[in-house]
Amino acid sequence: MSLDRAYRRLLLAYPARWWDERGEEVLTVLLEGAEARGARRPSAGEAADLIAHGLLARAGRLGGAMRADVDDRARELTAALALASLTALSLLCLVFGEWWPWTSVGGGLAEPLSSFSGTPGPFWTIGGPLMVLLLVPAALSLAGLPRLARGLLAASVPVIVATPAVAAVLGWNRPAWWALAGLLLFAVLSLAAPVRRRLLLGGLVAGLSGVTILVVYGHLQAGFDPRPGFYYGYLLQSLALAVPVGVLAAVAMASARRAIIPACLVGSAWLITFAGRLVSAAADTTGALLYLAAAAALGLVALASASYHRLMHDRQPALS
Amino acid sequence: MHRPPVYIDVMSEELREPTYLLLTALAGERQHGYGLMQEIVALSSGRVVLRAGTLYGALDRLLREGLVAQDGEEVVSGRLRRFYVLTPAGLQVLAAQTARRQATAQVAAGRLRALGVSA
């Protein structure tokens, strides 16, 4: 087999699109290297290197099917908004749902519903320590350690998934399903790109300001009732009603700032989270279906926008 | 396909040696793939030998990050060569990383001197 053919075979490890962009160029490099060494066939090291990187490129393409359609700026924004949302939801659940001395004033929880009765430390459920952990990635990103933050976020995904099973094993309460689902969605979306400090800071200020307004509003509605009870209901009820309004406002603002894809993706995650909340706490199936329909619509808008974006960018000349 | 460069906090992160050598190799003049491989071997006195898969993995990443850009291509004897150059952002990162390495090296050299060991 000729050297050229042998290298072409090895380059089959790469995806077809990569070959179109890079194949002939890399083949030149391989052939020039082999001729300089006087080699007649690819070395074992070269073969392993090409196969490994080819498979990595394929994994990247498969894993990034959606990512390929969304430009890098959109991914950065998605990651920043999702991490801000993850932090805001964790903080909200932690302070108004999990913190035992605080929520116990009201005399107990309507949620989470669990067959276990143990409580880890000052928290009602195993979600307390989990939510403390989920505050760390934002802190790391703000401290200028985006890689460490991403590593922790990636590790937190299986931790969130395993939380109900761990709670069962330890005999502790678990957090509400909707809260776990929301945390999982935001953690996954946060992995879209390394998070920029400035974007995250903006997202956190907006998210936490919104949460503060809702908390104050909830307390005003309840006549300064000392029972905050995030898991209780009234605060969360006002939050559940405010989420669609907030998402719509965010999408409207984002469309003007060409950030429609991140706003739709993160907005739909919020809607899915609170659809779960409506079912689990209020048995409001109709409301939940409406939220899910809105989330699906936002997902479609994001997909259509990504397709349009790709079409426009494919018309531009390649970097040269 | 053209995409805007990804922001990475490269100014505050330590570059791995192959990436640092790659940026250094491009700081001299524009290079094509095989030229880069040879230049990296020369710069590292033979310690670092990048294979093609690794080299192009790193190049693709640096292109995405906006630190390197393509600078034309030529066909020689039916073979395609593409050339690469450092972008202004790439130059900034290389300068920042070099300053950091120099500062560390100076401290290390001073401590070695104090111990009577020459670096």
Side-chain angles (χ1 to χ4, degrees):
Chain A
M1 187 191 300
S2 74
L3 197 55
D4 180 286
R5 203 169 158 198
Y7 279 129
R8 283 179 187 273
R9 281 200 170 183
L10 284 171
L11 290 172
L12 288 176
Y14 285 86
R17 193 167 160 187
W18 181 92
W19 170 261
D20 292 342
E21 291 172 10
R22 284 257 180 260
E24 292 296 340
E25 179 190 359
V26 177
L27 189 61
T28 299
V29 171
L30 290 165
L31 290 172
E32 286 182 342
E35 285 165 5
R37 295 193 310 273
R40 293 176 142 188
R41 63 177 70 91
S43 69
E46 268 182 331
D49 178 63
L50 291 174
I51 290 169
H53 282 90
L55 293 178
L56 279 175
R58 279 184 187 274
R61 299 269 182 198
L62 288 173
M66 178 67 192
R67 196 178 67 178
D69 292 348
V70 182
D71 76 8
D72 297 323
R73 175 75 178 165
R75 286 197 284 123
E76 282 176 4
L77 268 173
T78 302
L81 284 175
L83 185 53
S85 299
L86 180 73
T87 307
L89 184 61
S90 298
L91 205 57
L92 199 64
C93 290
L94 193 62
V95 175
F96 294 101
E98 295 286 346
W99 185 244
W100 183 82
W102 177 245
T103 51
S104 64
V105 176
L109 292 171
E111 286 189 88
L113 301 174
S114 172
S115 56
F116 311 109
S117 56
T119 55
F123 302 113
W124 274 109
T125 80
I126 197 173
L130 171 71
M131 287 154 193
V132 171
L133 175 78
L134 292 175
L135 296 176
V136 178
L140 289 173
S141 294
L142 290 175
L145 299 166
R147 282 190 184 177
L148 203 56
R150 282 194 100 196
L152 188 60
L153 278 168
S156 72
V157 170
V159 171
I160 296 169
V161 171
T163 293
V166 174
V169 169
L170 296 176
W172 288 345
N173 289 314
R174 59 156 175 76
W177 288 114
W178 63 265
L180 284 173
L183 296 173
L184 183 63
L185 283 172
F186 292 131
V188 169
L189 285 173
S190 301
L191 291 169
V195 173
R196 287 182 64 168
R197 233 180 304 194
R198 197 182 300 170
L199 288 176
L200 176 63
L201 204 56
L204 280 175
V205 168
L208 294 177
S209 304
V211 164
T212 307
I213 291 167
L214 286 164
V215 168
V216 171
Y217 172 75
H219 281 284
L220 287 174
Q221 286 287 89
F224 294 105
D225 189 320
R227 296 172 299 175
F230 180 81
Y231 286 135
Y232 252 108
Y234 71 82
L235 173 60
L236 203 61
Q237 205 59 33
S238 67
L239 194 54
L241 292 173
V243 159
V245 179
V247 169
L248 275 178
V251 170
M253 281 192 293
S255 62
R257 295 172 60 87
R258 299 173 65 190
I260 190 87
I261 297 172
C264 285
L265 289 176
V266 177
S268 63
W270 275 108
L271 286 167
I272 291 168
T273 303
F274 278 88
R277 152 71 197 174
L278 285 176
V279 171
S280 72
D284 183 0
T285 314
T286 310
L289 286 175
L290 280 174
Y291 277 36
L292 288 177
L298 287 182
L300 287 175
V301 171
L303 272 176
S305 180
S307 303
Y308 173 76
H309 179 89
R310 185 172 58 166
L311 190 69
M312 296 308 285
H313 277 267
D314 279 347
R315 285 179 185 165
Q316 292 184 3
L319 277 173
S320 61
Chain B
M1 184 194 302
H2 170 77
R3 294 214 179 101
V6 178
Y7 171 87
I8 56 162
D9 205 358
V10 281
M11 302 299 276
S12 61
E13 286 180 16
E14 195 67 37
L15 288 184
R16 287 190 299 170
E17 189 177 18
T19 309
Y20 183 72
L21 286 169
L22 213 161
L23 292 179
T24 307
L26 285 169
E29 56 182 345
R30 70 175 196 157
Q31 295 275 5
H32 55 77
Y34 184 60
L36 272 173
M37 289 167 87
Q38 289 179 306
E39 184 73 7
I40 287 168
V41 171
L43 282 171
S44 65
S45 306
R47 276 184 305 106
V48 178
V49 179
L50 289 191
R51 296 189 189 282
T54 309
L55 172 71
Y56 277 90
L59 264 180
D60 282 341
R61 182 168 49 80
L62 293 172
L63 283 163
R64 275 200 309 273
E65 292 169 355
L67 305 185
V68 167
Q70 284 182 20
D71 186 38
E73 59 186 44
E74 64 183 22
V75 177
V76 179
S77 307
R79 290 178 182 173
L80 175 67
R81 277 180 169 176
R82 283 205 181 102
F83 291 86
Y84 298 91
V85 290
L86 270 190
T87 62
L91 274 172
Q92 273 190 340
V93 168
L94 181 61
Q97 294 283 332
T98 302
R100 184 179 302 172
R101 282 164 196 251
Q102 274 176 340
T104 311
Q106 277 176 1
V107 172
R111 292 188 179 179
L112 286 170
R113 268 197 306 276
L115 294 171
V117 180
S118 60

